[in-house]
Amino acid sequence: MSHHIVETRDLHYVYPDGTVGLDGVSFRITHGESVALVGENGAGKSTLLHHINGYLAATKGEIRVGDHKVTLKNMDVVRRSVGMVFQNSDDQLFMPTVFDDVAFGPLNMGLENEEVEKKVHEALETVGASHLRKRPPYRLSQGEKRAVAIATVLVMSPDILVMDEPTSSLDPMSRKRLIELLRTFRHTKIIATHDLDMAMDLSERTIVLHKGRITADGPTAQLFQDEKLLHQSSLEKPLRMQQCPYPHP
Amino acid sequence: MDSLAGGNSPLHRLDPRAKLITTLFFIVTVVSFGKYTVLAFIPFFIYPVYLISAGGLPAKFILKKVLLVSPFAILLGIFNPVIDRETMVHIGEICVSGGWISFVSIILRFILTVTAALLLVALSGFNAVCEALTKLRVPRPFVVQLLFFYRYLFVLAEESNRMERARKTRTFHRGAMGFRAFVSLIGHLLLRTLDRSERIYRAMCSRGFDGHIRVSTAIKSGIIDHSFVVVWSILFIFFRVYNIPVELGEFIMEVF
Amino acid sequence: MHMADALISPVVGLSMWVISAGSIAYCSKKVKEEADDRKVPLMGVLGAFIFAAQMINFSIPATGSSGHLGGGMILTILLGPFAAFLVMASVLTVQALFFGDGGLLALGCNIFNLGIFPCFLAYPFIYRKIAGNKLSKGRIITGSIIGATVALELGAFGVVLETVSSKISELPFDTFVLLMQPIHLAIGVVEGVVTAAVVMFVWNARPELLNAVSRYEPVGRINMRKVFVGLLIAAAITGGALSWFASSRPDGLEWAMFKTSGKEVLENNGGVHASLAAIQEKTAFLPGYGFKKEEREIGIETAARPSWPAAHQGTSTAGLVGGGLTLLLIVLAGLGLRRRAKTVK
């Protein structure tokens, strides 16, 4: 049995046009951990996530998922153990109906129809979207789309969940429901986000990226007290940690 | 349009293949009439009327769609009366020219064929039509293309609407779009589209995409589906061979 | 410029269907052979892109006509002819099913007119020949413009041929051609300029995208960035000078129809009415019609005296009575079915 770990060593990535995406990133995320990945726009969060799933190949350094080094050869194994929830659900839900979409992965894994049916049912049940199974994805609300997108990933029974901005463009209730849902998952979680309140709810550990480098890595509650650090990464203290929400005149 | 397909009448549950084949047969039969056909088209209205009524579809909505659709046929037809001025039929004192008859004929053809095509989607939904195409051995890459195209149609139409709206809010004379603006707008839309395609591809790969799209199809064909095709086809042939309104009229005139 | 079911005969419709269906099968096979996974989503979203882009109109100056991007050339340049053809076919299919643009039977004609010409004639024999392997500044723009123009001219000619040979419309061939071709020449040039400008826009902004996309169609082996930037400027100047306006004026084809009919009014007013032979030809189109023989007589009668006596009205009255009755029966059946459908629910 593989350990659900993600480990990077001195990861560098330079885009074809010369932009530096990652500039020496090293960390180790162990089994069952939930880690928030924060940083300003363009800090390298998405670039890093794309390495975990093997969409981008590091210019230098290496990355390991479970027992495997992420290489072209291991891609299938890696992608099966990593479930990636994209920022824009419309890109993730490409099939005609919710059911087809959730079934896409299992069918590619070569499972029998009955087995697929069962797994899809379970996954949709988990995210509370069973009633949507026959609907076409473009008719869903943002919150429903996000839930279904998560189901498409869960159905593959991944060990590690990687999420890019899961709470973006959700209304407050949908956001709350999503956080409650994610809290129930026992997977290793890596969540790239600007939503520091959610990070506090879900992740005991936070990694701060700034210009392609890790500027901080530690307990979430502690890092978020450091205003200088947050300011440098264009972040703001989570609302609940701001002692005085109404500044004196 | 597609949301109508969510209905649950027996017609909705019919094998989409049966509906597709019947629709095609219907259209071919209708257009096979000569250009001065008017009366013989009337019995054919039973098919769309049946589908709308038994399928519980909103007749007004469908009618509106048909009327709004492409004025092209009407534009083409409107000058038949102008060119063809031979008197063909007399109704009382009024002389009707061949052109007017063929014009009315074009309108009737138009209404029948367009309604039939729209009803096919309204009763089955686009995805089911595609499923039917797969089962009818239409090449897979084309069906997959149809599905993907249809899926992102709404997303991109919305995106282009947003861009156009954003442009309008900053344009203070009505409707004008400079060439530069047009190219830039289309160009940006294309760039975003290419990016989107890449993101979708990644999403597909992360779920084990290997070049084949597998869809579990569940359409089954039973006695009802077969008889739907057969009964309607026989009826269409019957309407094609016998001019019902004329026969009926002659019969009545004889009786009275 | 969509053909419509109402205007074509089954022979024309079905033969065009066969040609288009065959082409779809062939292209599907080719695309499968290319085995480029990336093309699966790419083709889909590009189809959606063309559709969205077609919603934006610009007017053609001095003609009172407007057109929109056809997109055939852009697709072919981005995807290669086989994939592009499938995309065009899918766009037209959805238009036929959802918007009644054309129709299911006319779909074959439309795929032929708007798909085959740009993908399999204009692209390989014009665009590729001109743009060729030795790319230069003028080549791409020349290739795009001539390619798009020829494709549209052929497409328009296809519409004329299909319409005339179906014999549902009364449009005479020569008048129709004389009006369709010049208008589509203008539309074609515009299409070409837009195609060139958009392709260059993309090239300028994100050269690597086109490189990746055109892997299978090595349009850009040579450093084309400069070429494209230059062309973009050239196109911007040309286009800026012309300046288009988004408008809701009639489409080129419809405009051509108007002109034709207008002209015909004049001709017919001064001209002699059609001959007896023409009338008989018409009656030949009326198999099984109640008033068939009557018309033949009309032909003779009209030649002799213009007003028609009420003596032969029997059959046409019968037709009207029968027609009305049939309609009534259908309406009643519809209402009855509707009531039943409701009670079942």
Side-chain angles (χ1 to χ4, degrees), chain B residues 3-54:
Chain B
S3 56
L4 293 178
N8 196 25
S9 73
L11 278 177
H12 283 89
R13 286 192 294 270
L14 213 60
D15 183 345
R17 279 175 294 179
K19 284 177 272 189
L20 182 64
I21 293 168
T22 312
T23 305
L24 287 176
F25 192 74
F26 175 80
I27 291 171
V28 173
T29 319
V30 166
V31 301
S32 74
F33 278 100
K35 76 168 157 188
Y36 295 104
T37 309
V38 173
L39 288 174
F41 279 144
I42 296 174
F44 281 90
F45 277 93
I46 187 70
Y47 181 62
V49 165
Y50 167 73
L51 292 185
I52 291 176
S53 315

Side-chain angles (χ1 to χ4, degrees), chain B residues 35 37-38 41 77 80-81 96 98-111:
Chain B
K35 76 168 157 188
T37 309
V38 173
F41 279 144
N80 269 12
V96 183
W100 279 110
I101 294 191
S102 60
F103 174 59
V104 173
S105 177
I106 287 179
I107 304 272
L108 290 179
R109 279 160 210 272
F110 172 73
I111 294 173

Side-chain angles (χ1 to χ4, degrees), chain A residues 25-97:
Chain A
V25 171
S26 305
F27 60 79
R28 183 186 162 87
I29 294 168
T30 55
H31 186 100
E33 244 186 319
S34 171
V35 178
L37 196 58
V38 303
E40 74 277 5
N41 292 329
K45 300 188 298 290
S46 295
T47 313
L48 180 58
L49 295 190
H50 283 150
H51 277 83
I52 299 175
N53 217 339
Y55 302 123
L56 295 176
T59 321
K60 202 182 131 201
E62 66 164 47
I63 177 160
R64 297 184 76 87
V65 170
D67 299 329
H68 301 279
K69 198 177 156 188
V70 180
T71 59
L72 211 58
K73 209 180 87 217
N74 289 332
M75 204 62 80
D76 281 351
V77 193
V78 169
R79 284 184 180 162
R80 265 177 80 160
S81 61
V82 177
M84 178 107 176
V85 180
F86 287 73
Q87 184 172 1
N88 187 339
S89 305
D90 266 319
D91 298 335
Q92 185 147 20
L93 307 176
F94 45 81
M95 293 296 279
T97 65

Side-chain angles (χ1 to χ4, degrees), chain B residues 44-91:
Chain B
F44 281 90
F45 277 93
I46 187 70
Y47 181 62
V49 165
Y50 167 73
L51 292 185
I52 291 176
S53 315
L57 298 174
K60 262 190 200 158
F61 174 78
I62 303 278
L63 204 67
K64 233 189 235 166
K65 272 212 88 136
V66 175
L67 293 178
L68 282 176
V69 145
S70 137
F72 176 51
I74 292 158
L75 270 164
L76 247 174
I78 195 76
F79 57 91
N80 269 12
V82 176
I83 298 170
D84 180 1
R85 303 182 146 212
E86 291 303 323
T87 305
M88 253 184 99
V89 179
H90 292 251
I91 301 162

Side-chain angles (χ1 to χ4, degrees), chain C residues 244-285:
Chain C
W244 318 103
F245 298 93
S247 76
S248 53
R249 282 172 218 167
D251 212 54
L253 179 60
E254 286 146 26
W255 189 78
M257 297 299 175
F258 267 138
K259 287 274 150 137
T260 318
S261 63
K263 202 172 164 195
E264 281 306 310
V265 175
L266 294 176
E267 275 176 10
N268 254 9
N269 280 347
V272 191
H273 283 223
S275 65
L276 186 73
I279 298 278
Q280 272 169 338
E281 191 189 286
K282 274 171 210 159
T283 49
F285 280 104

Side-chain angles (χ1 to χ4, degrees), chain A residues 50 53 55 79 86 88 90-96 99-101 104-105 107-108 138-139 152 156, chain B residues 2 127 147-148 150-152 154-155 196 199-200 202-209 212-216:
Chain A
H50 283 150
N53 217 339
Y55 302 123
R79 284 184 180 162
F86 287 73
N88 187 339
D90 266 319
D91 298 335
Q92 185 147 20
L93 307 176
F94 45 81
M95 293 296 279
F99 177 88
D100 288 330
D101 230 311
F104 182 83
L107 282 171
N108 283 334
Y138 55 84
R139 297 231 183 268
T152 67
M156 312 269 295
Chain B
D2 220 14
N127 298 330
L147 286 173
F148 264 88
Y150 187 67
R151 166 68 183 91
Y152 285 99
F154 301 92
V155 178
R196 183 184 294 278
R199 292 197 303 269
I200 297 166
R202 285 178 181 179
M204 291 168 77
C205 284
S206 75
R207 287 191 275 146
F209 175 62
H212 300 280
I213 302 275
R214 298 170 182 83
V215 185
S216 59

